[in-house]
Amino acid sequence: MAIPHFGILLACFASAATAEPTCEVGTVADLNRPLIPCCKVPKGFYHCQLLDCSGDDNDTSLRVGHVELRCEDGCHTFGGSTWDPAARAKALCTVLEGVPCTGNTTFVFDGFPCVRYNGHQFPTAVLLSLFLGWAGADRFYLGQVGWGVFKLFTVGGVGLWWFTDLMLLILGHLHPADGSSWEPQY
């Protein structure tokens, strides 16, 4: 599906991002053409890859096309439930196929948040906790198998742990076991 040029330009003016991708030095929009530079495409029209340097292997690198990032540019710590409190690093971004733009479709996004998502959604966790929390379904969903088994065999701690976990979720104190953030809701 082709995206009209005016839609991209309108989305560009309407987007409010906290950080913007950086263009190569000398990248200028050609005012005689209706297309914008690929490095200026608004958020949502490109996919980014972060270099995970949080482990022991700091000799890794990430290469897409002619652009390469090394571990000194990557994420050393992950966390934060939103973009604001998270550490920031460089990411390699590629414009999605079918998005019309000029220039190189791969660019470096400096200041990309180091937040990891693994598909855990907050509304799903709350609903599981509300309706099946007595059986530990919420803890199993979050990857906390030990607590899930405990709640299953004690019928939610006779209702005590069911209510406690529901409150912990709603107040923001219960998160996925793998340290990932909640999947954003669009």
Side-chain angles (χ1 to χ4, degrees):
M1 177 177 131
I3 300 170
H5 303 305
F6 66 87
I8 290 178
L9 291 175
L10 289 176
C12 184
F13 292 119
S15 70
T18 56
E20 291 186 7
T22 56
C23 294
E24 294 177 9
V25 177
T27 303
V28 181
D30 183 1
L31 299 178
N32 295 324
R33 298 185 65 187
L35 300 176
I36 59 173
C38 290
C39 57
K40 294 293 185 183
V41 170
K43 186 170 64 171
F45 291 98
Y46 53 84
H47 172 73
C48 295
Q49 293 177 290
L50 282 169
L51 183 58
D52 185 355
C53 297
S54 59
D56 295 331
D57 186 19
N58 286 338
D59 292 332
T60 59
S61 64
L62 179 63
R63 184 178 192 82
V64 175
H66 72 285
V67 183
E68 181 179 14
L69 290 181
R70 302 214 42 86
C71 233
E72 56 265 12
D73 300 319
C75 290
H76 297 280
T77 59
F78 286 89
S81 57
T82 62
W83 280 33
D84 296 333
R88 298 189 180 267
K90 291 182 180 178
L92 281 181
C93 300
T94 305
V95 176
L96 299 177
E97 191 173 325
V99 176
C101 61
T102 61
N104 195 349
T105 58
T106 302
F107 55 91
V108 175
F109 191 129
D110 194 5
F112 199 83
C114 295
V115 178
R116 195 178 301 170
Y117 301 111
N118 282 339
H120 295 101
Q121 297 184 354
F122 182 73
T124 304
V126 171
L127 290 174
L128 283 172
S129 185
L130 183 63
F131 295 112
L132 295 172
W134 59 270
D138 52 350
R139 292 290 186 146
F140 285 118
Y141 176 71
L142 295 176
Q144 301 171 357
V145 178
W147 280 106
V149 170
F150 172 75
K151 285 177 69 176
L152 178 64
F153 288 135
T154 62
V155 190
V158 192
L160 180 64
W161 280 113
W162 166 79
F163 182 73
T164 303
D165 278 353
L166 185 61
M167 290 297 109
L168 286 173
L169 264 171
I170 291 171
L171 296 175
H173 297 292
L174 188 58
H175 299 283
D178 60 3
S180 63
S181 298
W182 297 113
E183 197 72 39
Q185 300 294 315
Y186 296 107

